[in-house]
Amino acid sequence: CSCRKTCINRVAQRPLHLRLQLFRTERRGWGIRCLDDIPKGQFICVYAGQLLTEQEANEDGKQFGDEYLAELDLIESIEQAKDGYESDVDIDIDHQSDISQSSGSDDSGEFSDISESKSLVPGQGHENKNDSSEKLSAHTLSSTAVRIIQKDDCQKKTRELYGPNEHCYVMDAKSTGNIGRYLNHCCKPNVFVQNIFVDTQDLRFPWVGFFAHVFIRAGTELTWDYSYQVDSVPDKKLFCHCGAKECRGRLL
């Protein structure tokens, strides 16, 4: 945005200012712990690395290992979260059309003057009905304003709008990256990921930012949930050693 660099909302664009320490864990390789208390919601750092296509990431993963690969799958994550969001909504198009015609709207699609409809004013005109199908709303649309969403429109994925053969881009931090690549997984993490947009509004290229999920005391290891799906990679098992009571036992 066009605000000044001193704006307090520019948390992810500032240099790292928290004191973090790289240390060797007992069973999970390198890890990161904080040397100062971190308040809940505090920005910690971003995940930096080399940007690869899905094909390049697969080739590099087979040759050099995939432990530092992170998919930029914001689009898929949001679509999965909203999957079935409107499954309980039942729209009766025929009934909607009848209501529109009775509300006095003409074929031009314009709304009639609701001030002339006494039925829209509580306690005047029509008496109250127990049947909800008889109630009129000031927000009732005319029949020409109703757009019937086709099934194919609902199933079209956002990423497909960018063109054919479009896949998630992958951040590879194995050889090029920052301290964010050493944050370990935990089934009950104290850090959460927030996708943010700074230099572009393109949904395919978010910045991956880490923020404190809870108040974190100095000396505590910083962890986040990798959200891997068990058995998603054929012939590969990765066991979890986070030590949390809620530990799921496996990452892959």
Side-chain angles (χ1 to χ4, degrees):
C1 59
S2 59
C3 61
R4 300 169 62 182
K5 291 184 178 180
T6 55
C7 174
I8 61 174
N9 290 323
R10 289 177 175 261
V11 294
Q13 303 173 50
R14 297 174 178 174
L16 181 68
H17 63 279
L18 291 174
R19 295 197 303 159
L20 305 179
Q21 184 182 62
L22 180 68
F23 75 104
R24 190 74 177 181
T25 65
E26 183 178 351
R27 303 183 65 181
R28 294 172 293 129
W30 294 102
I32 295 293
R33 58 189 170 202
C34 56
L35 299 181
D36 301 294
D37 293 345
I38 303 179
K40 180 179 179 180
Q42 171 71 48
F43 170 72
I44 299 174
C45 66
V46 297
Y47 191 90
Q50 182 182 6
L51 196 62
L52 303 176
T53 64
E54 185 181 54
Q55 181 178 355
E56 292 171 339
N58 289 334
E59 294 174 355
D60 282 15
K62 292 179 181 179
Q63 186 175 0
F64 304 109
D66 57 359
E67 62 268 24
Y68 290 102
L69 298 181
E71 284 189 325
L72 301 184
D73 57 351
L74 168 66
I75 296 176
E76 285 71 21
S77 297
I78 296 299
E79 288 182 338
Q80 182 178 2
K82 296 182 68 175
D83 186 28
Y85 181 75
E86 297 177 341
S87 59
D88 295 334
V89 177
D90 184 15
I91 301 177
D92 189 342
I93 299 299
D94 293 335
H95 178 63
Q96 179 68 48
S97 178
D98 293 340
I99 293 179
S100 302
Q101 294 174 6
S102 64
S103 64
S105 59
D106 55 25
D107 293 337
S108 64
E110 298 179 351
F111 297 109
S112 60
D113 186 357
I114 61 174
S115 63
E116 296 180 358
S117 178
K118 299 300 183 181
S119 60
L120 301 180
V121 182
Q124 298 183 20
H126 297 288
E127 58 187 52
N128 294 332
K129 304 287 185 179
N130 292 327
D131 186 359
S132 60
S133 64
E134 296 297 332
K135 294 180 180 179
L136 295 179
S137 170
H139 300 290
T140 300
L141 296 176
S142 65
S143 59
T144 56
V146 176
R147 176 177 179 266
I148 302 177
I149 301 177
Q150 301 297 332
K151 184 177 181 181
D152 292 341
D153 293 337
C154 298
Q155 294 179 343
K156 194 172 185 64
K157 301 299 183 180
T158 302
R159 195 172 293 275
E160 296 176 4
L161 300 176
Y162 289 97
N165 302 321
E166 184 72 30
H167 299 281
C168 293
Y169 287 86
V170 179
M171 192 83 73
D172 184 6
K174 188 175 182 67
S175 58
T176 302
N178 66 342
I179 198 171
R181 59 183 158 180
Y182 296 113
L183 292 172
N184 279 320
H185 163 85
C186 183
C187 296
K188 188 178 180 181
N190 52 20
V191 171
F192 71 94
V193 173
Q194 178 68 50
N195 290 277
I196 50 183
F197 295 90
V198 177
D199 50 6
T200 178
Q201 293 297 319
D202 194 325
L203 296 179
R204 297 172 297 175
F205 305 107
W207 283 23
V208 180
F210 295 109
F211 294 79
H213 181 61
V214 295
F215 174 80
I216 305 174
R217 293 197 175 278
T220 305
E221 182 182 3
L222 304 180
T223 58
W224 63 293
D225 191 341
Y226 289 179
S227 299
Y228 292 159
Q229 293 184 359
V230 177
D231 296 328
S232 60
V233 180
D235 303 324
K236 184 173 184 178
K237 290 185 178 181
L238 186 61
F239 294 95
C240 181
H241 303 289
C242 69
K245 294 181 180 179
E246 298 83 356
C247 181
R248 300 188 288 269
R250 284 178 57 187
L251 287 174
L252 290 174

